[in-house]
Amino acid sequence: MKKKVLWLVSLLCVSGMLGACGGSNEDKASSKDNKEPLKMWVGLNQADTYRKLAKEFEKKNDVKVEVIEIEEADDGLLKDGEAAADVIRLPHDQLGQLVEAGSVYENEKYEDEIKKTDIPMAIEAASYEDTMYGYPASADAMFLYYDKRVYNEDDLATLDSLTKKGKVGLNIAEAGADYRLTPWFIANGASLYGEKGDDVDGSTLNNEAGLNVLKWVGKAKENENIVAVNSDEISALQEGKISALFSGVWNAQNVKDILGENMGTAVYPKADFGNGQVNLKAFSGVPIFVVNAATKNPGKAMDLARFVTNEEAQLEVFKGISTVPSNKAARESDEIQSDQIAKTVSVATTDEHSVLMPKLPEMKNFWPNMNALLVDTYDGKVTEADMQKKLDTLVKDISKPVKE
């Protein structure tokens, strides 16, 4: 889709039909602007925080901004771009589908600046096929919560020592197991859609490293200190059924309420699945802002997207909704470094401890297939003799075109 558009623009330039072909990208975007208000879509329970930033933007720019909460921003943008907001906040893994559909505007004004200010993981998340479209807003990854009364620092070093010392909650038997465990395959030496997550035929989840992780899943039920949890993980912690859990910032207040000053946080431990010790990884996610390709104010929309994602804005959003900045300077600020969970997430959202979730549309094929395999393996429905065949089938299925 993108290549076809670029070819058409080049043809029109040669034909003399686009008078502004020689101008800068910024000039092109600004020349299209009008005085209509800008609309900005954000996630649920985020509007109050972003309205404050929108008011600041209005004071510095001759344009009004309306902030609206929406649950399925990508769906709204794909269904009716003309009716969608000018600037939209959404998870980075939706970017590929939106770019392929021609629904988002290229980041023409702030690419160089963002490459200097934000962490590499965020830059990658905001880009698709080597072109930047997004404006990183924060960075997130799961980590380990633990009870300090049960574990000391040495206990946190490996998955083996962690599960020998106490009971650990892990979603391994229900929907969501795919999100928790797939990064462990990658940490061990397998890949999901290639090394960078952008090659639809590049999955090697069926190699020896992937097979060894699946074997571990098949034996996990034998370890009484690995407790299968999901939506009940907080009640399990409260009732003393577990003393540690792999979770995220969304559970911070719940865990604090239960453990109080005994709450500890750490990045994932190391593990040995038969290929040597590796750092276990979590999926990292980067909420990004994008500009609607159908906006009538591309220049101002890009300005707004950058304004609500700069260093100062990311720190304001952290205060409002506890998202950890992707901006390098903001991550080093006293506000972040003095916050236990934010500091842990800052370490977790590095290549050493997490892997960026792929942005390919084919991820829609991946989730149900991977989750079914993991749950069936944990339940004993997949024997060790059948695991290689099941992984081979998985790799084949997740590379198929997405059915609309």
Side-chain angles (χ1 to χ4, degrees), residues 26-47:
E26 184 173 343
D27 289 340
K28 292 178 201 174
S30 299
S31 67
K32 299 177 185 176
D33 286 344
N34 59 32
K35 297 294 183 181
E36 290 187 14
L38 290 173
K39 288 185 179 181
M40 183 166 69
W41 282 352
V42 297
L44 301 182
N45 303 313
Q46 297 177 352

Side-chain angles (χ1 to χ4, degrees), residues 280-305:
L280 287 181
K281 294 186 177 185
F283 267 136
S284 54
V286 178
I288 60 174
F289 278 86
V290 296
V291 172
N292 184 351
T295 182
K296 297 177 181 178
N297 294 284
K300 287 294 185 185
M302 283 188 271
D303 292 341
L304 175 60

Side-chain angles (χ1 to χ4, degrees), residues 35 165 186 221 322 382:
K35 297 294 183 181
K165 192 66 175 289
I186 298 171
K221 218 170 195 178
S322 301
V382 178

Side-chain angles (χ1 to χ4, degrees), residues 160-176:
D160 185 54
S161 60
L162 189 70
T163 56
K164 282 182 178 178
K165 192 66 175 289
K167 294 185 180 295
V168 181
L170 175 65
N171 185 353
I172 194 172
E174 299 179 49

Side-chain angles (χ1 to χ4, degrees), residues 92-109:
H92 84 272
D93 60 301
Q94 297 172 358
L95 184 60
Q97 183 181 16
L98 294 173
V99 172
E100 294 288 350
S103 298
V104 292
Y105 210 104
E106 184 179 333
N107 184 344
E108 297 176 342
K109 295 180 72 172

Side-chain angles (χ1 to χ4, degrees), residues 128-358:
Y128 187 72
E129 293 186 349
D130 299 321
T131 299
M132 183 175 287
Y133 294 90
Y135 305 73
S138 61
D140 188 30
M142 291 178 63
F143 52 94
L144 180 73
Y145 289 102
Y146 66 94
D147 189 333
K148 292 180 180 179
R149 293 167 297 187
V150 177
Y151 301 99
N152 58 42
E153 287 193 16
D154 291 339
D155 299 325
L156 307 176
T158 70
L159 183 61
D160 185 54
S161 60
L162 189 70
T163 56
K164 282 182 178 178
K165 192 66 175 289
K167 294 185 180 295
V168 181
L170 175 65
N171 185 353
I172 194 172
E174 299 179 49
D178 47 3
Y179 183 78
R180 268 70 170 183
L181 294 176
T182 299
W184 294 14
F185 285 74
I186 298 171
N188 201 45
S191 63
L192 175 60
Y193 299 128
E195 292 300 315
K196 294 184 178 180
D198 58 1
D199 180 3
V200 69
D201 296 315
S203 296
T204 61
L205 296 170
N206 58 338
N207 65 10
E208 181 186 6
L211 178 61
N212 283 342
V213 178
L214 194 63
K215 288 179 180 178
W216 179 89
V217 174
K219 296 175 181 177
K221 218 170 195 178
E222 300 171 10
N223 187 339
E224 62 178 11
N225 278 355
I226 296 176
V227 181
V229 295
N230 192 5
S231 58
D232 61 337
E233 60 187 2
I234 293 302
S235 60
L237 181 66
Q238 189 169 25
E239 294 166 11
K241 295 178 180 178
I242 58 175
S243 48
L245 66 152
F246 296 102
S247 192
V249 293
W250 61 85
N251 263 330
Q253 193 57 56
N254 291 327
V255 178
K256 285 179 181 177
D257 290 343
I258 295 169
L259 297 181
E261 62 181 14
N262 294 307
M263 183 188 77
T265 60
V267 295
Y268 282 13
K270 293 180 181 292
D272 186 349
F273 298 111
N275 302 91
Q277 292 284 356
V278 295
N279 284 329
L280 287 181
K281 294 186 177 185
F283 267 136
S284 54
V286 178
I288 60 174
F289 278 86
V290 296
V291 172
N292 184 351
T295 182
K296 297 177 181 178
N297 294 284
K300 287 294 185 185
M302 283 188 271
D303 292 341
L304 175 60
R306 181 54 182 156
F307 184 84
V308 298
T309 57
N310 64 27
E311 177 185 348
E312 294 77 13
Q314 289 195 22
L315 286 172
E316 281 299 312
V317 175
F318 167 69
K319 295 175 185 176
I321 59 176
S322 301
T323 55
V324 178
S326 61
N327 179 280
K328 289 184 285 189
R331 287 161 74 92
E332 295 301 321
S333 67
D334 290 341
E335 292 97 319
I336 300 301
Q337 293 301 311
S338 62
D339 185 284
Q340 179 184 358
I341 291 175
K343 187 175 180 179
T344 299
V345 172
S346 292
V347 179
T349 48
T350 58
D351 290 337
E352 185 179 2
H353 298 291
S354 61
V355 56
L356 188 67
M357 193 184 305

